[in-house]
Amino acid sequence: MGHLWAMFHSGSLQSRPFVGHSCAMAVNDPHFKIRMPRELKQLLEGAAERQGRSLTAEIVHRLQLTFSNDMPQENLLETATNLRENMEYVAKARADYEALNASVEDRLRKLEENMKTVDRMRVQLEGHLADATASMPKKKKQ
């Protein structure tokens, strides 16, 4: 395992990227047999088929992903700090959004009340106009 880890970090494994449906494996790469539960093999075969890879390419791809996801311990504290800062930023942004949303809802409620008042005033004015028009003396036709 140490040799594989050294190969990965030296770049020799990274220099063989997986592109499209093929992996850059050479015929002279080491071969070995492996035992695994039948169900796991079936899962790998299904995944390989969906990805358009051979079973070997799928296994190698998944193994390589596990190494590319490894993170040195010294980065863990920095990553955790960044994550906490991001979570605090998101929490503040959410609180700001909720406050803004409440303000908008309050303004909409006041606007609706003002529109109802304007409608009542319009109806009253139309009534006063109708009363004033009715009480005006009518001109006689000459």
Side-chain angles (χ1 to χ4, degrees):
M1 179 77 160
H3 176 67
L4 187 58
W5 181 255
M7 285 177 58
F8 176 74
H9 285 287
S10 70
S12 62
L13 281 179
Q14 291 175 331
S15 68
R16 299 176 178 193
F18 296 109
V19 180
H21 298 295
S22 65
C23 65
M25 288 187 291
V27 175
N28 60 350
D29 280 341
H31 291 75
F32 66 96
K33 290 185 177 187
I34 184 172
R35 278 185 291 212
M36 70 176 70
R38 178 175 286 121
E39 296 81 15
L40 179 58
K41 183 176 184 244
Q42 290 170 343
L43 288 171
L44 284 166
E45 289 170 335
E49 186 175 325
R50 286 189 300 278
Q51 297 300 319
R53 296 184 183 109
S54 68
L55 179 58
T56 300
E58 184 66 23
I59 292 169
V60 170
H61 174 74
R62 286 172 179 261
L63 284 171
Q64 195 170 38
L65 285 176
T66 64
F67 288 109
S68 66
N69 291 332
D70 284 350
M71 182 183 305
Q73 291 293 325
E74 60 269 10
N75 291 341
L76 289 178
L77 181 58
E78 180 183 350
T79 301
T81 301
N82 290 340
L83 181 58
R84 184 178 57 247
E85 289 171 359
N86 288 339
M87 290 173 66
E88 289 168 358
Y89 175 80
V90 168
K92 184 182 179 327
R94 182 181 180 126
D96 291 347
Y97 166 79
E98 288 173 356
L100 181 61
N101 191 41
S103 174
V104 168
E105 287 177 359
D106 185 52
R107 289 180 184 200
L108 283 173
R109 202 170 19 260
K110 288 177 181 175
L111 181 61
E112 288 173 354
E113 290 171 8
N114 288 341
M115 288 175 62
K116 288 177 184 176
T117 301
V118 167
D119 272 347
R120 281 194 301 272
M121 292 173 74
R122 182 187 53 80
V123 169
Q124 287 175 350
L125 284 172
E126 287 174 349
H128 291 308
L129 181 61
D131 291 345
T133 304
S135 65
M136 289 177 59
K138 296 185 182 183
K139 290 187 181 179
K140 294 183 185 180
K141 291 186 182 179
Q142 296 179 346

